[in-house]
């Protein structure tokens, strides 16, 4: 999978994408990431990339011509590269969207700055607009990194041979169960005994129940989307009863 990132700040990408798992994926040739400085596609002496908006108003707007030329320089190598504009006005990014995107071989990621891009960039060059959440960043660069990370995890081999992206939180719309490692006793706080029992079916049941408990407490909105089995529903009922008892015990 290939990502061509169009940005005014290519240095932002150097380290975050080359460490750890993504760094290994690049070494293995599973992903290729190239940054392209939009400023290199200006034609004027001062390399101007932004201008005040027509009609007046605050801030600056990114000009259409340098972006057009930058997009076209990638598309001349691969006309079918999928072009994404990272903007708070885009569709909300989530695990389902990351999974869908992971079937595409080649992306152009356009990172906006200032008050955004000239509307004609959208009209003429953008296939899809994506936001990573309901807050405003200073530019699309961090959002592009989030997208690259979440999408790359779905490429076979990126997470290592025996790990699958589908085992993690949000697969089946549940949060992860609690994890422990040594020591058994840390300052009097001990690991749940069942995890030391060697009883794999008891461990699986405990984990499923704790995932359901955590999801019902922190993200009850996810339970509606989850594919719950009859056993899950029984576990959830036990959790709710337990919660009610604890509340009663606390005198609430
Ligand atoms: Cl994609 N860009 C910016 N500038 N802010 C954001 C965003 C993107 N997603 C959430 N906030």
């Amino acid at each position: 999978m290939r990502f061509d990132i169009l940005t005014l700040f290519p240095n932002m990408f150097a380290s975050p994408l080359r460490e750890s798992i993504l760094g290994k994926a690049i070494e293995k040739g599973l992903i290729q990431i190239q940054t392209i400085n939009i400023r290199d596609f200006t034609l004027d002496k001062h390399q101007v990339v932004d201008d005040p908006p027509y009609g007046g108003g605050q801030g600056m707007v990114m000009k259409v011509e340098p972006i057009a030329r930058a997009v076209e320089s990638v598309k001349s190598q691969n006309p079918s590269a999928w072009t994404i504009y990272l903007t708070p006005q885009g569709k909300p990014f989530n695990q389902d969207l990351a999974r869908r995107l992971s079937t595409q071989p080649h992306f152009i990621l356009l990172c906006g700055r200032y008050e955004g891009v000239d509307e004609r960039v959208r009209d003429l060059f953008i296939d899809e607009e994506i936001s990573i959440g309901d807050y405003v960043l200073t530019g699309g660069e961090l959002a592009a990194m989030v997208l690259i990370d979440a999408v790359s995890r779905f490429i076979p081999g990126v997470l290592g041979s025996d790990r699958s992206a589908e085992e993690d939180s949000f697969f089946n719309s549940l949060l992860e169960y609690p994890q422990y490692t040594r020591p058994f006793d840390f300052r009097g706080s001990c690991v749940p005994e069942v995890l030391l029992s060697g009883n794999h079916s008891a461990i699986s049941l405990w984990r499923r129940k704790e995932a359901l408990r955590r999801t019902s407490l922190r993200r009850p909105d996810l339970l509606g989307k989850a594919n719950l089995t009859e056993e899950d529903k029984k576990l959830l009922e036990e959790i709710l009863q337990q919660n009610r008892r604890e509340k009663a015990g606390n005198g609430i």
Side-chain angles (χ1 to χ4, degrees):
M1 183 177 296
R2 182 181 173 94
F3 298 94
D4 284 288
I5 305 162
L6 275 45
T7 172
L8 293 173
F9 302 97
N11 292 338
M12 283 182 73
F13 294 86
S15 163
L17 299 174
R18 278 163 184 77
E19 297 282 347
S20 184
I21 290 173
L22 291 190
K24 295 244 166 54
I26 292 170
E27 274 174 31
K28 287 194 236 171
L30 295 171
I31 57 176
Q32 278 179 285
I33 301 172
Q34 193 186 312
T35 51
I36 294 167
N37 193 334
I38 295 166
R39 201 175 294 280
D40 293 342
F41 290 85
T42 53
L43 295 177
D44 59 307
K45 189 171 104 200
H46 294 104
Q47 299 196 291
V48 175
V49 291
D50 58 344
D51 242 354
Y54 271 114
Q58 284 244 318
M60 299 289 265
V61 176
M62 287 174 73
K63 289 167 68 64
V64 60
E65 303 103 311
I67 294 172
R69 278 193 286 271
V71 171
E72 282 162 352
S73 80
V74 181
K75 290 232 174 160
S76 69
Q77 300 155 36
N78 178 9
S80 57
W82 189 249
T83 306
I84 293 174
Y85 174 38
L86 285 311
T87 165
Q89 298 170 31
K91 75 175 67 136
F93 191 56
N94 61 24
Q95 190 73 346
D96 286 337
L97 183 47
R99 186 184 300 107
R100 167 170 63 82
L101 291 175
S102 71
T103 61
Q104 287 274 351
H106 189 181
F107 295 95
I108 299 170
L109 302 179
L110 173 61
C111 304
R113 283 267 154 179
Y114 317 117
E115 302 305 311
V117 297
D118 186 302
E119 190 66 17
R120 290 164 292 185
V121 169
R122 282 199 161 95
D123 299 342
L124 300 174
F125 299 104
I126 301 302
D127 296 311
E128 189 164 15
E129 299 186 23
I130 293 177
S131 161
I132 63 162
D134 291 338
Y135 41 80
V136 181
L137 303 169
T138 54
E141 282 78 6
L142 288 168
M145 290 186 229
V146 166
L147 183 147
I148 290 169
D149 191 296
V151 171
S152 297
R153 293 177 75 263
F154 281 99
I155 301 168
V158 166
L159 292 183
S161 53
D162 56 348
R163 283 279 313 287
S164 143
E166 298 292 16
E167 284 167 19
D168 296 310
S169 270
F170 291 105
F171 174 58
N172 201 10
S173 295
L174 291 186
L175 302 184
E176 286 277 88
Y177 51 79
Q179 296 273 25
Y180 298 87
T181 187
R182 291 187 295 180
F184 170 74
D185 181 340
F186 177 69
R187 301 179 185 174
S189 178
C190 292
V191 177
E193 291 283 353
V194 62
L195 298 177
L196 288 79
S197 68
N199 181 341
H200 295 295
S201 66
I203 291 171
S204 291
L205 189 64
W206 182 87
R207 286 180 164 167
R208 187 72 184 170
K209 187 169 181 181
E210 294 311 310
L212 287 162
R213 186 194 313 281
R214 184 155 281 190
T215 309
S216 72
L217 284 172
R218 300 184 181 190
R219 294 293 306 276
D221 56 302
L222 294 178
L223 286 177
K225 287 192 267 171
N227 266 328
L228 298 182
T229 63
E230 286 309 310
E231 176 160 42
D232 290 334
K233 289 176 191 162
K234 243 173 53 197
L235 291 172
L236 259 180
E237 192 45 46
E238 285 174 29
I239 291 164
L240 294 176
Q241 269 176 17
Q242 235 168 328
N243 289 349
R244 280 196 287 272
R245 272 199 299 275
E246 274 168 31
K247 268 191 196 165
N250 289 335
I252 299 169

